[in-house]
Amino acid sequence: MNKILKLWNLIKSKFLYLLLILSVIPRLLYANKLYPADMIFIVLVIVQFILTYMQFNTMKYSKKKALIFLAFCMALSVILLLLNSNNNFILFYYFFILDNVFEFDSRETRRALIFCHMSGFMLYLLVDNILINKIPFYTDVSSYVFCSFVYIMVLFVYICIHEYRYEMNNLKMLNCSLIDYSFKEREHLVLNERNRISQELHDSLGHSLMALSMNVKYIKAIKDREKINHEINELESLISKSIQSLRETVYNLRKLDENFSLHNEITSIISKFNKLNIIKITLNYDNNIEKSSIAIKNILISTIKESITNSLKHGNSAKIFISIKLIRNTIKLIIKDNGDGCSCIIKSEGLAGIENRFKTFNGTINFITSPNKGFTITASIPEVIIDDKSNDS
């Protein structure tokens, strides 16, 4: 079902353009002479074509403008139907454009547009039968009932399809929120572990330094040489214990970083999203990236998380490709999805945050997109900071 909806969203605009083109072909090819009414009809179809294009083009970045263009499209469709009531292509266009009503998030807006669309259809039936074809209303009630039934059935199908889509989107957002929560929970656990180690360092080293300070003051006060030597030995022992405690703490912090595998972390993220069965993520990974510093690894992780979340929330993506390579001491990151894309990139807080993190390490980042062509992030960090694995002296 999701694949069918995605395919329909991909071809919908082209299909509507085709219906408009087909609506004027008979007049152009088979008419011996173009009358003023024919010329008016063709001009209005051209205007309708432009309005339809503008409606699709503005939907991504301005719902208000798209709403205005859609309202004009519906009104002009009724006029075209009245000018040529036998043109089935315009009638099909009018019914298929009803699908665009459900692109708006507000239920009140959708209800108002459906009411206008239904009113336009009923107005067309009444004017065409009573005023143009001179058929009294009471003699053709059954046709009105049948047309109303067909309209309600079409509307019911649209509602069912889009309610399914809304539920799937809500489920997708809920799953994304749960996964995002699990990411934050892990970060919180790591932070707590660092805070615990830091507190141990503060407590043990702080206590030792205080004891050293008191012993030094005591040595200054005593005169007995033997006692001085004894206290110096105590100082050496205390200093040795402090150094050992400091080494153990540094080792624990380093071990915490060394246990962090970028590949395992990314694989874990991908696995969580793939299990949802709403997106397929593939990874191309260079193991040499593991040599980079924990700071760079964290930048890559946060960028990947933000990119996947954006692809699901805003791009309606079904596939994401992630590539991380180390080329001549430069990390190259590519994240590409097959989502809706857009004609204009508005840098949200998330995208701005990604850009700032790369700039911190003299990196570069580019965002590439176009309508129905997906969204691509290409980034690089020119200098790889290698962790120092040497032992403390």
Side-chain angles (χ1 to χ4, degrees):
M1 186 64 175
N2 288 329
K3 291 182 178 180
I4 295 173
L5 289 175
K6 188 172 182 63
L7 178 62
W8 169 242
N9 287 330
L10 188 64
I11 67 170
K12 179 169 62 175
S13 59
K14 287 80 175 177
F15 182 70
L16 291 175
Y17 299 149
L18 179 62
L19 288 175
L20 290 174
I21 293 171
L22 291 174
S23 69
V24 299
I25 286 179
R27 290 176 180 262
L28 294 174
L29 295 182
Y30 305 117
N32 295 326
K33 181 181 178 181
L34 289 178
Y35 295 96
D38 296 321
M39 296 298 297
I40 292 172
F41 182 84
I42 293 171
V43 170
L44 289 179
V45 169
I46 293 172
V47 173
Q48 183 78 319
F49 192 99
I50 295 171
L51 288 174
T52 306
Y53 172 80
M54 295 299 295
Q55 197 263 323
F56 280 107
N57 197 43
T58 57
M59 181 64 77
K60 290 291 183 183
Y61 62 88
S62 177
K63 295 285 186 180
K64 186 176 181 180
K65 290 182 179 179
L67 175 62
I68 295 171
F69 285 122
L70 180 58
F72 276 113
C73 283
M74 290 193 298
L76 190 54
S77 296
V78 175
I79 295 173
L80 289 170
L81 284 170
L82 292 174
L83 287 175
N84 190 353
S85 60
N86 295 323
N87 196 317
N88 291 327
F89 294 115
I90 295 296
L91 188 61
F92 283 135
Y93 171 92
Y94 189 71
F95 273 98
F96 278 114
I97 206 172
L98 181 61
D99 182 68
N100 289 8
V101 169
F102 296 90
E103 296 294 332
F104 297 92
D105 298 326
S106 171
R107 286 186 178 272
E108 289 73 19
T109 301
R110 294 201 298 267
R111 287 170 183 167
L113 287 172
I114 290 171
F115 176 78
C116 292
H117 190 276
M118 185 183 295
S119 300
F121 180 68
M122 297 308 297
L123 177 65
Y124 154 68
L125 289 178
L126 291 171
V127 173
D128 182 59
N129 284 348
I130 297 174
L131 298 182
I132 297 177
N133 295 322
K134 308 297 182 179
I135 301 174
F137 177 81
Y138 59 87
T139 62
D140 200 24
V141 174
S142 59
S143 67
Y144 291 109
V145 173
F146 175 75
C147 290
S148 300
F149 175 77
V150 171
Y151 185 93
I152 291 171
M153 290 303 298
V154 171
L155 179 61
F156 178 74
V157 170
Y158 276 128
I159 290 174
C160 289
I161 291 173
H162 286 280
E163 282 298 324
Y164 169 80
R165 194 192 71 177
Y166 296 144
E167 290 300 322
M168 289 299 297
N169 285 339
N170 290 335
L171 181 61
K172 182 171 64 178
M173 294 301 104
L174 178 60
N175 286 325
C176 286
S177 299
L178 290 174
I179 291 175
D180 189 50
Y181 176 78
S182 70
F183 293 153
K184 291 179 180 178
E185 184 181 26
R186 183 199 174 280
E187 292 170 1
H188 180 69
L189 291 173
V190 172
L191 181 62
N192 283 347
E193 182 65 13
R194 288 184 179 274
N195 289 339
R196 184 189 66 78
I197 295 173
S198 299
Q199 188 64 42
E200 286 182 1
L201 177 63
H202 174 270
D203 294 342
S204 60
L205 196 57
H207 175 75
S208 298
L209 289 173
M210 183 62 69
L212 284 171
S213 176
M214 293 176 65
N215 284 355
V216 169
K217 289 179 181 179
Y218 176 67
I219 289 173
K220 287 181 179 180
I222 61 177
K223 304 293 184 180
D224 192 338
R225 185 68 183 175
E226 289 184 7
K227 286 185 176 181
I228 290 175
N229 290 335
H230 174 73
E231 291 300 326
I232 289 175
N233 290 333
E234 290 291 327
L235 281 176
E236 286 180 343
S237 176
L238 188 57
I239 290 171
S240 182
K241 289 180 180 178
S242 298
I243 292 173
Q244 182 62 31
S245 175
L246 179 60
R247 282 179 173 173
E248 288 177 358
T249 304
V250 171
Y251 172 78
N252 288 334
L253 284 171
R254 179 168 292 166
K255 188 176 180 181
L256 191 64
D257 288 344
E258 288 177 353
N259 287 338
F260 178 81
S261 168
L262 181 63
H263 180 264
N264 291 344
E265 186 69 14
I266 296 173
T267 303
S268 174
I269 293 170
I270 291 174
S271 176
K272 286 179 179 179
F273 280 102
N274 283 342
K275 284 179 181 177
L276 299 177
N277 292 323
I278 56 175
I279 195 165
K280 179 66 176 178
I281 306 174
T282 55
L283 173 67
N284 183 10
Y285 185 81
D286 185 347
N287 287 321
N288 290 320
I289 303 293
E290 295 294 346
K291 299 176 183 178
S292 59
S293 71
I294 189 68
I296 290 180
K297 289 179 181 178
N298 284 332
I299 288 176
L300 294 174
I301 285 292
S302 60
T303 301
I304 290 170
K305 289 177 183 176
E306 184 71 28
S307 300
I308 294 174
T309 303
N310 285 342
S311 293
L312 283 171
K313 286 184 176 179
H314 309 298
N316 296 317
S317 306
K319 294 180 181 179
I320 298 177
F321 171 74
I322 301 172
S323 173
I324 311 176
K325 293 184 178 180
L326 183 61
I327 304 173
R328 297 176 184 175
N329 286 339
T330 299
I331 294 178
K332 300 286 187 180
L333 172 66
I334 299 174
I335 305 173
K336 184 176 182 180
D337 66 42
N338 66 339
D340 297 337
C342 60
S343 57
C344 178
I345 298 176
I346 301 174
K347 290 184 181 178
S348 61
E349 188 175 324
L351 292 181
I354 291 173
E355 193 172 47
N356 291 333
R357 283 192 287 270
F358 274 89
K359 285 182 179 179
T360 302
F361 284 86
N362 297 319
T364 59
I365 188 164
N366 293 300
F367 306 111
I368 306 165
T369 185
S370 59
N372 299 317
K373 297 293 184 181
F375 194 94
T376 302
I377 295 177
T378 59
S380 63
I381 301 179
E383 296 179 0
V384 178
I385 303 174
I386 306 299
D387 286 336
D388 183 10
K389 303 296 182 182
S390 62
N391 293 328
D392 294 320
S393 58

